[in-house]
Amino acid sequence: MLRSILMGAVAGARSMTPLAALARTANHGRAHEPLLSAGTLMLAAGELAGDKMRNAPDRTVPAGIAGRLVSGALVGAACAPRGDRLIGAMLGAAAAVAASHLTLRLRKAAARRYGQAASGLVEDGLAIGSALLLARR
């Protein structure tokens, strides 16, 4: 269940990254469903690019929270043992919402000190690395 929580937390920072990581690493590193893998990868790339824009909304606006909640639930369920998928979904969703608030505060503090693009790139690296590591487990 820890993996469900951690992957949900990654969804709090980057909603599409954990979905793309799971889709990509399914079936031992080969895309089990190439269309799903490509689609989630494109959405994740778009999210990463959009995040650097000055007019990008905060991740805690209602639509942003809703997307992270759904993404966290999906990855939480996917990472949970078969009999515990509902609990994994709930833990992943809760972790996503909590992490979205925490990572927004951290990002704003880092952006004031290092700039929006630099802080975003560091956050991207942490989210991508964490998602890939968790997806491979």
Side-chain angles (χ1 to χ4, degrees):
M1 299 312 269
L2 179 60
R3 195 166 75 125
S4 294
I5 294 168
L6 293 173
M7 195 64 100
V10 174
R14 296 288 182 272
S15 61
M16 293 306 302
T17 298
L19 291 169
L22 285 175
R24 184 67 205 133
T25 59
N27 202 21
H28 305 291
R30 295 183 310 270
H32 180 68
E33 187 62 51
L35 188 57
L36 176 65
S37 180
T40 57
L41 187 59
M42 287 185 349
L43 289 170
E47 180 183 26
L48 295 177
D51 178 67
K52 309 308 171 292
M53 299 172 69
R54 293 206 181 275
N55 62 349
D58 285 346
R59 63 193 75 181
T60 57
V61 300
I65 286 291
R68 283 162 171 71
L69 189 135
V70 170
S71 177
L74 290 171
V75 298
C79 292
R82 192 173 299 273
D84 293 326
R85 298 261 164 92
L86 180 59
I87 294 168
M90 290 188 294
L91 290 171
V97 171
S100 66
H101 289 281
L102 175 64
T103 58
L104 177 63
R105 278 193 227 134
L106 293 171
R107 172 74 182 276
K108 284 185 175 186
R112 282 191 296 275
R113 184 165 184 169
Y114 303 107
Q116 178 148 332
S119 62
L121 290 172
V122 169
E123 189 178 19
D124 291 347
L126 290 171
I128 292 167
S130 298
L132 289 172
L133 180 68
L134 289 164
R136 289 187 180 131
R137 294 270 169 214

